[in-house]
Amino acid sequence: MKISKYIASAIIALITLNSCSKDDPIPVIDQEEVGSARLVFTEVEVEAHGDHFHYNDFAGQEKDSIIFEGEKFLPPVGAHMHLEVGKTYRFELRVFDFAGRQSQKTFIDRDDQHFAFWIGAPADALKIIYADKKEDKTKVKVGTIGYITVLKASESFNWRYIMRHLNPGVKTSIDVEKDIQNKDFTKFGGANDIDVKFETHLVADDHSGHGH
């Protein structure tokens, strides 16, 4: 009888372990193991080419960035980002380990299980598209790099960027064009690899004091 109880307990433990592994994936890059992350914004020129656009850098254009580090991955006190209405910005995610090595490439290499969400901006204030590429130039939609066009002004808001590590097969249920700003992103089962917030202000004209 005792042996039977031990076997039953072992079976239950095994089933529980398998269930947790399937339903609660471990993030590919655990934020607790990341030394720092950075979101870099660069204004670009938009050039129409038939049914698509080219995005060109302005000569000498400065980059603005928000850095996230420390135990809670908070930006520096007072850090914020001003983006202007009518302009387009390239954003780039950079993730560093504690040795200073960049590791965001992992998300692109495993594009079938990763997708980034931008949450918190006013409705219809921004248009966001993704422009990730693998080393062989294959285009994928992940959210480590892309373009943000500001459509209308707004008061300051807390903008949240989440790199989601999705359960197997979930990526196919995401509309990679329309779900980027889907506030109900948790319905896409998985865990968060990166989850950061920063203050943002969409302005109608030029303002000094961009976030750094």
Side-chain angles (χ1 to χ4, degrees):
M1 292 296 293
K2 289 184 178 180
I3 294 177
S4 298
K5 289 181 180 179
Y6 290 144
I7 293 174
S9 297
I11 292 172
I12 292 171
L14 181 60
I15 292 172
T16 302
L17 177 61
N18 289 338
S19 176
C20 289
S21 298
K22 181 179 179 181
D23 298 335
D24 302 309
I26 298 172
V28 172
I29 301 178
D30 193 328
Q31 186 161 288
E32 292 182 0
E33 298 178 1
V34 173
S36 66
R38 179 178 302 194
L39 284 169
V40 181
F41 295 82
T42 309
E43 184 187 344
V44 295
E45 178 186 32
V46 182
E47 182 181 355
H49 277 260
D51 61 351
H52 65 282
F53 298 93
H54 289 177
Y55 300 91
N56 307 311
D57 286 1
F58 291 105
Q61 181 64 42
E62 292 186 1
K63 300 177 184 292
D64 286 339
S65 63
I66 299 286
I67 300 173
F68 309 91
E69 53 192 356
E71 183 180 352
K72 296 184 178 180
F73 251 56
L74 298 175
V77 175
H80 60 281
M81 188 63 61
H82 280 167
L83 303 178
E84 288 187 53
V85 174
K87 293 187 176 182
T88 297
Y89 301 83
R90 180 176 62 249
F91 75 85
E92 300 168 80
L93 171 70
R94 297 177 185 171
V95 179
F96 303 86
D97 64 18
F98 286 100
R101 295 168 297 195
Q102 293 194 42
S103 53
Q104 67 274 1
K105 180 176 173 291
T106 303
F107 302 136
I108 301 174
D109 290 342
R110 303 180 184 182
D111 66 286
D112 61 319
Q113 287 189 285
H114 290 93
F115 193 75
F117 296 91
W118 292 84
I119 309 301
D124 303 320
L126 300 166
K127 178 184 177 182
I128 306 174
I129 63 171
Y130 290 163
D132 309 89
K133 289 183 181 180
K134 294 191 173 185
E135 289 187 355
D136 63 1
K137 305 302 181 182
T138 300
K139 295 180 179 179
V140 293
K141 301 290 185 180
V142 176
T144 65
I145 186 170
Y147 297 94
I148 297 170
T149 300
V150 184
L151 304 177
K152 66 180 184 182
S154 78
E155 297 297 326
S156 294
F157 59 92
N158 283 323
W159 210 4
R160 185 180 175 193
Y161 173 92
I162 303 116
M163 177 59 73
R164 189 89 165 145
H165 174 207
L166 304 163
N167 288 341
V170 171
K171 182 77 174 275
T172 59
S173 67
I174 295 177
D175 186 323
V176 296
E177 304 293 341
K178 297 180 180 179
D179 281 326
I180 291 174
Q181 299 184 77
N182 189 337
K183 62 183 180 180
D184 192 24
F185 70 93
T186 55
K187 73 179 182 180
F188 303 115
N192 296 340
D193 281 325
I194 299 292
D195 187 350
V196 295
K197 293 180 181 179
F198 60 101
E199 184 181 354
T200 304
H201 190 188
L202 308 180
V203 297
D205 52 21
D206 186 38
H207 278 60
S208 60
H210 287 197
H212 291 278

